[in-house]
Amino acid sequence: MLSFEEARQRVLERVAPLAERERLAVKQTLARILAEDVRAPFDIPALPNSARDGYALRSTDLPAKGTIRLRVVGEVPAGQYYDAEIKEGEAARIFTGAPLPPGTDTVVMQEHVQRQGDFLDVPAGVVRAHDNVRPRAEDVEAGDVVLERGTFIRPQEMGLLASLGLTHVWVTQRPRVAILSTGNEVVEAGEPRGPAQIFDSNRYSLIGLLEMLGVEAIDFGIVRDDRDELRTAFLAAGEQTHAILTSGGVSVGAYDLVRDILTAVGVIDFWRVKMRPGGPQAYGRIGPAYFFGLPGNPVSAMVVFLEIVRPALWKLMGRRDWTPTRFRARLRETIRKKPGLMEFQRGAVTYTERGWEVTTTGPQGSGILRSMVKGNCLILLAEEHGDYESGEEVWVESFPM
Ligand code: AMP
Ligand code: MG
């Protein structure tokens, strides 16, 4: 049996990032991954500029006490450059974002001064040298790598790319991932369901998770526990996609054929992982496609996807920074647990005046999909740890949505 961490490492090690990339308009890059280092072609800001509406002046003119009267000799609206030097005893009206005129190094806010016609009275103490000025290059310096290859593109990265004047960037390819469910008992919603049958939920949860990652999910439907049907489906999926995701059929029952077929048409690593939910899992390859065989229970399938498959797909997509957000929360109930398995219970975490607090979402059976629906996080319970007492601090990991 592998520990959870060993299993995750092994799956990650087996995956290599896809080489292909595509060039996209910056507006279309949300949630994509940069395939190039992006360097700044110029400084941002390109010139020192005003952070306020007010008056630009020379800090050497500022009085130690009393008030100084300066002559207002010009005006600099945003978007214009004022190129005449502001001399001793002079000031210029300036607006937010406008470059400082030559000679000036400080902006006094308009609320802090008295304007009398062409003159400005600046009392001591309302402003210090260099106040209200955004220095040249305070955000970005020309030549800096401002975004590294492998960066996940959020709205702020889109904004930064545009601020560099870029219209298009190279992003990594979206992998195509085949998704299929196995099981004679599994039928598609909308079709008639026999008394001993269940509707397929895994394909829906997993397609949702895949789409949230930004991969292209290719639906291979439900495949019966039949050697020929599984073989045909696996081979077709291996030819059309970069990765294959299945659920069910990886335990040791007579109808758990996924391992046999994967062994026959590709290569397999089968593991029991010391985690709950999600014990048995199968990984491997069919030709160049990676194979991820998830357990059939709906909660197990989602948890194994989030914890083991997701980092592997991120690596496949060329993403560098993939650590999920984890934080500490105080348990509001006692949790019974035996040492030996890492557990991922489903929790509802809330922020209270005492800080983050978490409760479980009730019954935690791996078939109880509502334990996920009622929750907003996983509660991470360490492999070697026994019972957790109410009031103890635990790690929680928020669901991606
Ligand atoms: P298996 O590993 O194939 O024995 O499946 C374990 C459990 O998960 C069984 O109770 C299955 O009925 C259930 N299960 C398998 N596949 C699905 C699916 N696609 N949707 C919902 N439940 C499933
Ligand atoms: Mg099955």
Side-chain angles (χ1 to χ4, degrees), residues 182-185 225 248-249 255-256:
T182 71
N184 292 337
E185 77 282 29
D225 295 317
Y255 294 93
D256 293 324

Side-chain angles (χ1 to χ4, degrees), residues 247-277:
S247 69
V250 287
S251 325
V252 290
Y255 294 93
D256 293 324
L257 302 173
V258 168
R259 290 193 292 147
D260 281 1
I261 306 304
L262 180 55
T263 310
V265 299
V267 289
I268 180 167
D269 284 310
F270 166 73
W271 301 320
R272 292 189 161 278
V273 183
K274 286 189 260 178
M275 68 184 282
R276 192 190 340 252

Side-chain angles (χ1 to χ4, degrees), residues 169-329:
V169 286
W170 287 101
V171 298
T172 64
Q173 185 185 12
R174 288 177 75 199
R176 283 191 310 283
V177 180
I179 167 83
L180 63 89
S181 295
T182 71
N184 292 337
E185 77 282 29
V186 181
V187 293
E188 180 75 355
E191 314 250 301
R193 182 183 69 86
Q197 290 182 312
I198 55 169
F199 288 123
D200 184 0
S201 65
N202 289 345
R203 239 166 72 252
Y204 288 78
S205 310
L206 293 169
I207 285 175
L209 287 165
L210 288 170
E211 290 192 346
M212 278 180 51
L213 283 193
V215 314
E216 187 185 344
I218 299 186
D219 192 352
F220 276 73
I222 300 166
V223 183
R224 289 157 39 78
D225 295 317
D226 174 279
R227 288 174 188 276
D228 290 336
E229 288 183 32
L230 284 168
R231 184 180 293 111
T232 306
F234 285 9
L235 287 173
E239 272 170 23
Q240 294 170 37
T241 64
H242 301 104
I244 304 162
L245 199 60
T246 68
S247 69
V250 287
S251 325
V252 290
Y255 294 93
D256 293 324
L257 302 173
V258 168
R259 290 193 292 147
D260 281 1
I261 306 304
L262 180 55
T263 310
V265 299
V267 289
I268 180 167
D269 284 310
F270 166 73
W271 301 320
R272 292 189 161 278
V273 183
K274 286 189 260 178
M275 68 184 282
R276 192 190 340 252
Q281 298 161 31
Y283 298 94
R285 299 189 68 149
I286 297 177
Y290 297 99
F291 187 95
F292 304 99
L294 301 181
N297 277 305
V299 179
S300 311
M302 288 193 78
V303 168
V304 173
F305 181 94
L306 288 171
E307 295 299 318
I308 295 185
V309 177
R310 182 173 56 165
L313 290 178
W314 273 333
K315 184 174 177 192
L316 186 68
M317 296 162 84
R319 180 168 175 171
R320 278 207 191 144
D321 50 331
W322 53 264
T323 333
T325 313
R326 290 181 174 175
F327 53 95
R328 303 284 284 172

